[in-house]
Amino acid sequence: MRPDTLLVHAWRAPPRDGGAVAMPIYQSSTFEESEARGYHDIRYARLSNTPSHEALHGKLAALEGSEAALATASGMAAISAALFSTLRAGDHVLAQEGLYGGTHDLLTRTCRALGIEVTFVPGNDPAAWRKEVTPRTRLFYAEAMTNPLVRIADLPAVAAFARERRWSPSSTTPSPLRSPFVPPTRLRSGRAQRDQVPEWP
């Protein structure tokens, strides 16, 4: 299915109040509950499970071809959630060189303070990765295009490298400078210009 079709038709919401055709934006932070349930079972904005959240997550998952998606309040919130849901004290991370400063700080200060070792490697050199990987390595962290240095990782090689080791998640790859719908760009004289872009499959 094409992206424009997925944006309209993916994730069919339950019947909407008043028969609304378009998904309304729910601004309520709390919702009425008909029975006593646990904290994680209730609808609550902080848990990212309001009807608006569920619609957004459903659309993103369909667009990405994944089982599920989660929107966070910031990129660093997403990165922190991915790292800290996977890593424990004593683990090792391979991380691409030239990462966004906030991420670099998280890895070099916070992770190391928690007993997580980090080794930085070029994002496009599988030989360097094999040299630095250890039995304690649990994750390869790479950015699709680093910010602000615009270094490009070899993402297919990163994914294959992680799959060979049966890591789960295999790799963490945010894309801070573009969405999945923005075509690849070539940087010339400090300005992004459109290159020849194949049509969406």
Side-chain angles (χ1 to χ4, degrees):
M1 229 183 275
R2 292 178 56 86
D4 47 359
T5 305
L6 286 171
L7 284 167
V8 174
H9 296 291
W11 192 83
R12 296 306 247 169
R16 300 178 188 115
D17 291 338
V21 174
M23 179 71 186
I25 296 172
Y26 288 83
Q27 296 180 323
S28 179
S29 62
T30 54
F31 292 80
E32 182 179 346
E33 292 294 327
S34 58
E35 57 189 59
R37 300 193 292 170
Y39 174 72
H40 292 282
D41 299 320
I42 62 172
R43 283 195 185 278
Y44 186 38
R46 189 170 286 161
L47 299 176
S48 296
N49 66 358
T50 69
S52 296
H53 286 108
E54 288 178 350
L56 173 61
H57 299 158
K59 295 278 186 187
L60 289 173
L63 290 167
E64 291 291 332
S66 65
E67 291 179 26
L70 177 68
T72 60
S74 69
M76 287 307 301
I79 291 164
S80 300
L83 292 179
F84 295 132
S85 65
T86 304
L87 300 170
R88 301 291 179 267
D91 287 346
H92 175 250
V93 177
L94 286 180
Q96 179 185 3
E97 294 174 344
L99 297 175
Y100 167 67
T103 307
H104 186 273
D105 215 41
L106 180 73
L107 291 168
T108 58
R109 293 183 184 206
T110 308
C111 284
R112 285 183 175 156
L114 295 172
I116 299 164
E117 185 184 345
V118 180
T119 302
F120 290 94
V121 293
N124 58 357
D125 186 356
W129 311 341
R130 288 184 179 85
K131 183 179 173 186
E132 298 295 343
V133 71
T134 77
R136 295 182 299 111
T137 307
R138 296 288 172 265
L139 186 85
F140 192 124
Y141 184 91
E143 291 178 353
M145 183 185 300
T146 66
N147 176 16
L149 300 177
V150 194
R151 293 182 180 165
I152 310 296
D154 185 345
L155 297 183
V158 169
F161 181 78
R163 276 194 303 271
E164 286 170 16
R165 282 146 188 83
R166 298 188 174 152
W167 292 338
S168 180
S170 59
S171 58
T172 303
T173 315
S175 183
L177 295 179
R178 67 185 187 100
S179 82
F181 293 110
V182 177
T185 56
R186 178 181 294 162
L187 296 179
R188 294 188 191 129
S189 304
R191 288 176 24 195
Q193 297 181 359
R194 225 173 222 207
D195 205 349
Q196 293 180 344
V197 180
E199 292 211 5
W200 189 282

